[in-house]
Amino acid sequence: DSGVTQTPKHLITATGQRVTLRCSPRSGDLSVYWYQQSLDQGLQFLIQYYNGEERAKGNILERFSAQQFPDLHSELNLSSLELGDSALYFCASSTSGGSTDTQYFGPGTRLTVL
Amino acid sequence: AQSVTQLGSHVSVSEGALVLLRCNYSSSVPPYLFWYVQYPNQGLQLLLKYTSAATLVKGINGFEAEFKKSETSFHLTKPSAHMSDAAEYFCAVSSRSNYQLIWGAGTKLIIKP
């Protein structure tokens, strides 16, 4: 158990819908990362937050947005969903968000778009 | 720009045999290198990391990796494979100027009884 929690574990929805994925980091970690993992694209970094501020952006679509709240939990919002958005979405956290930090991964949310 | 190449999307070894998973990186600045493991239906877990101290890095579960600057490599090894090592392994690179981990495509390790 990494100490990172993600809800829900599974999500099934339809094209065009909007969903919110939630992540609680390990106690004391200030930085949160979001990743998408799919069979065709592999592991893709989406976005990183540090203490409520966006720190780095990866291959995040404009239809996706995220935020980190004052209590340090984070939410990833996915809108206008397409079939291709079906994937595993991981949240990870680290102490300070630095280059040498160990990232601790949650168990993931499996999103299925029908 | 930084990049990571993992040679072989699948590697199959017999139980008890040497495990060698290859990772080559490209970086114009001194890199930090990581190996993570993903067991089926789980998130990723750090195996080991190189952050410019000793070039031979020991990790969990008997794995180790050696940073070789001249070969731009950070291959992962384990002397004797166990069935429980069956998983997907990811190599990643970052640097002092880049907080973001750049990930390899992953190598699935298959252990034959």
Side-chain angles (χ1 to χ4, degrees), chain A residues 6-36:
Chain A
Q6 290 187 247
T7 56
K9 276 199 169 70
H10 302 275
L11 202 45
I12 302 173
T13 188
T15 53
Q17 295 298 304
R18 174 189 167 93
V19 297
T20 297
L21 312 184
R22 183 189 166 102
C23 169
S24 292
R26 286 188 329 152
S27 176
D29 283 358
L30 297 177
S31 195
V32 167
Y33 311 76
W34 285 99
Y35 291 92
Q36 180 195 60

Coordinates of all heavy atoms in Angstrom, one line a residue, chain A residues 6-36:
Chain A
Q6 N -7.1 6.6 -4.5 CA -7.8 7.1 -5.7 C -9.2 6.6 -5.7 O -9.5 5.4 -5.4 CB -7.1 6.7 -7.0 CG -5.8 7.3 -7.3 CD -5.3 7.0 -8.6 OE1 -4.3 6.2 -8.7 NE2 -5.9 7.4 -9.7
T7 N -10.2 7.5 -6.0 CA -11.6 7.0 -6.2 C -12.2 7.7 -7.4 O -11.8 8.8 -7.8 CB -12.4 7.5 -5.0 OG1 -12.3 8.9 -4.8 CG2 -12.0 6.8 -3.7
P8 N -13.1 7.0 -8.1 CA -13.4 5.6 -7.8 C -12.4 4.6 -8.4 O -11.5 5.0 -9.1 CB -14.8 5.5 -8.6 CG -14.6 6.4 -9.7 CD -13.8 7.5 -9.3
K9 N -12.6 3.3 -8.2 CA -11.7 2.3 -8.8 C -12.1 2.1 -10.2 O -11.2 1.9 -11.1 CB -11.8 1.0 -8.0 CG -11.0 0.9 -6.8 CD -10.9 -0.6 -6.4 CE -9.8 -0.8 -5.3 NZ -10.2 -0.2 -4.0
H10 N -13.3 2.1 -10.5 CA -13.8 1.8 -11.9 C -14.9 2.9 -12.2 O -15.6 3.3 -11.3 CB -14.4 0.5 -12.0 CG -13.5 -0.7 -11.7 ND1 -12.6 -1.2 -12.6 CD2 -13.4 -1.4 -10.5 CE1 -12.0 -2.2 -12.0 NE2 -12.4 -2.3 -10.8
L11 N -14.9 3.3 -13.5 CA -15.9 4.3 -13.9 C -16.3 3.9 -15.3 O -15.5 3.7 -16.2 CB -15.3 5.6 -13.9 CG -16.1 6.9 -13.8 CD1 -17.2 6.8 -12.8 CD2 -15.2 8.1 -13.5
I12 N -17.6 3.7 -15.5 CA -18.1 3.4 -16.9 C -19.1 4.6 -17.2 O -20.0 4.9 -16.5 CB -18.8 2.1 -16.9 CG1 -17.9 1.0 -16.5 CG2 -19.4 1.8 -18.3 CD1 -18.5 -0.4 -16.4
T13 N -18.8 5.2 -18.4 CA -19.7 6.3 -18.8 C -19.8 6.3 -20.3 O -19.3 5.4 -21.0 CB -19.1 7.6 -18.3 OG1 -20.0 8.7 -18.5 CG2 -17.8 7.9 -19.0
A14 N -20.5 7.3 -20.8 CA -20.8 7.3 -22.2 C -20.0 8.5 -22.9 O -19.6 9.4 -22.2 CB -22.3 7.5 -22.4
T15 N -19.9 8.4 -24.2 CA -19.2 9.5 -24.9 C -20.0 10.8 -24.7 O -21.2 10.8 -24.5 CB -19.2 9.2 -26.4 OG1 -20.5 8.9 -26.9 CG2 -18.3 8.0 -26.7
G16 N -19.2 11.8 -24.6 CA -19.8 13.2 -24.4 C -20.0 13.6 -23.0 O -20.2 14.7 -22.7
Q17 N -19.8 12.6 -22.1 CA -20.0 12.9 -20.6 C -18.8 13.5 -20.0 O -17.7 13.6 -20.6 CB -20.4 11.6 -19.9 CG -21.8 11.0 -20.3 CD -22.9 12.0 -20.1 OE1 -23.1 12.4 -18.9 NE2 -23.7 12.3 -21.1
R18 N -19.0 13.9 -18.7 CA -17.9 14.5 -18.0 C -17.7 13.7 -16.7 O -18.8 13.3 -16.1 CB -18.2 15.9 -17.6 CG -17.3 16.6 -16.7 CD -17.9 18.0 -16.3 NE -17.2 18.5 -15.1 CZ -16.2 19.4 -15.2 NH1 -15.8 19.8 -16.4 NH2 -15.6 19.9 -14.2
V19 N -16.5 13.4 -16.3 CA -16.3 12.7 -15.0 C -15.2 13.4 -14.2 O -14.4 14.2 -14.8 CB -15.8 11.2 -15.3 CG1 -16.9 10.4 -16.0 CG2 -14.5 11.2 -16.1
T20 N -15.2 13.1 -12.9 CA -14.1 13.6 -12.0 C -13.5 12.5 -11.3 O -14.1 11.6 -10.7 CB -14.8 14.6 -11.0 OG1 -15.3 15.7 -11.7 CG2 -13.7 15.1 -10.0
L21 N -12.1 12.4 -11.4 CA -11.4 11.4 -10.7 C -10.7 12.1 -9.5 O -10.2 13.3 -9.6 CB -10.3 10.8 -11.6 CG -10.7 10.4 -13.0 CD1 -9.6 9.7 -13.7 CD2 -11.9 9.5 -12.9
R22 N -10.6 11.4 -8.4 CA -10.1 12.1 -7.2 C -8.9 11.3 -6.6 O -8.8 10.1 -6.7 CB -11.2 12.1 -6.1 CG -10.9 12.8 -4.8 CD -11.9 12.5 -3.7 NE -11.4 12.9 -2.4 CZ -11.7 14.1 -1.8 NH1 -12.5 14.9 -2.3 NH2 -11.1 14.3 -0.6
C23 N -8.0 12.1 -6.1 CA -6.7 11.5 -5.5 C -6.4 12.2 -4.2 O -6.4 13.4 -4.1 CB -5.6 11.8 -6.5 SG -4.0 11.4 -5.9
S24 N -6.1 11.3 -3.2 CA -5.5 11.8 -2.0 C -4.1 11.4 -1.8 O -3.8 10.2 -1.9 CB -6.3 11.3 -0.8 OG -7.6 11.9 -0.8
P25 N -3.1 12.3 -1.7 CA -1.7 12.0 -1.7 C -1.3 11.3 -0.3 O -2.1 11.4 0.6 CB -1.0 13.3 -1.9 CG -2.0 14.3 -1.3 CD -3.3 13.8 -1.6
R26 N -0.1 10.8 -0.3 CA 0.4 10.3 1.0 C 0.5 11.5 2.0 O 0.7 12.6 1.6 CB 1.8 9.8 0.8 CG 2.0 8.5 0.1 CD 3.4 8.0 0.2 NE 4.4 9.1 0.2 CZ 5.6 9.0 0.8 NH1 6.0 7.9 1.4 NH2 6.4 10.0 0.7
S27 N 0.3 11.2 3.2 CA 0.4 12.2 4.3 C 1.8 12.9 4.2 O 2.8 12.2 4.1 CB 0.3 11.5 5.6 OG 0.4 12.4 6.7
G28 N 1.8 14.2 4.1 CA 3.0 15.0 4.1 C 3.5 15.3 2.7 O 4.4 16.2 2.5
D29 N 3.0 14.6 1.7 CA 3.5 14.9 0.3 C 2.8 16.1 -0.2 O 1.6 16.3 -0.1 CB 3.1 13.7 -0.6 CG 4.1 12.6 -0.5 OD1 5.1 12.7 0.3 OD2 3.9 11.5 -1.1
L30 N 3.6 17.0 -0.9 CA 3.0 18.3 -1.4 C 2.8 18.2 -2.9 O 2.1 19.1 -3.4 CB 4.0 19.4 -1.1 CG 4.3 19.7 0.4 CD1 5.3 20.8 0.6 CD2 3.0 20.1 1.1
S31 N 3.3 17.3 -3.6 CA 3.2 17.3 -5.0 C 2.3 16.1 -5.5 O 2.4 15.0 -4.9 CB 4.6 17.2 -5.7 OG 4.5 17.5 -7.0
V32 N 1.5 16.4 -6.5 CA 0.7 15.3 -7.1 C 0.9 15.3 -8.6 O 1.0 16.4 -9.2 CB -0.8 15.6 -6.7 CG1 -1.8 14.8 -7.6 CG2 -1.1 15.4 -5.3
Y33 N 0.9 14.1 -9.1 CA 1.0 13.9 -10.6 C -0.2 13.1 -11.1 O -0.7 12.2 -10.4 CB 2.3 13.1 -10.9 CG 3.5 13.6 -10.2 CD1 3.8 13.3 -8.8 CD2 4.5 14.2 -10.9 CE1 4.9 13.7 -8.2 CE2 5.7 14.6 -10.3 CZ 5.9 14.4 -8.9 OH 7.1 14.8 -8.3
W34 N -0.6 13.4 -12.3 CA -1.6 12.6 -13.0 C -1.0 11.9 -14.2 O -0.3 12.6 -15.0 CB -2.8 13.4 -13.4 CG -3.7 13.7 -12.2 CD1 -3.7 14.9 -11.5 CD2 -4.7 12.9 -11.6 NE1 -4.6 14.8 -10.5 CE2 -5.3 13.6 -10.5 CE3 -5.1 11.6 -11.9 CZ2 -6.3 13.1 -9.7 CZ3 -6.1 11.1 -11.1 CH2 -6.7 11.8 -10.0
Y35 N -1.3 10.6 -14.4 CA -0.8 9.9 -15.6 C -2.0 9.2 -16.2 O -3.0 8.8 -15.6 CB 0.2 8.8 -15.2 CG 1.5 9.4 -14.7 CD1 1.7 9.6 -13.4 CD2 2.5 9.6 -15.6 CE1 3.0 10.1 -12.9 CE2 3.8 10.0 -15.2 CZ 4.0 10.3 -13.8 OH 5.2 10.7 -13.4
Q36 N -1.9 9.0 -17.5 CA -2.8 8.1 -18.3 C -2.1 6.9 -18.8 O -1.0 7.1 -19.4 CB -3.4 8.9 -19.4 CG -4.4 8.2 -20.3 CD -4.7 8.9 -21.6 OE1 -3.8 9.1 -22.4 NE2 -6.0 9.2 -21.8

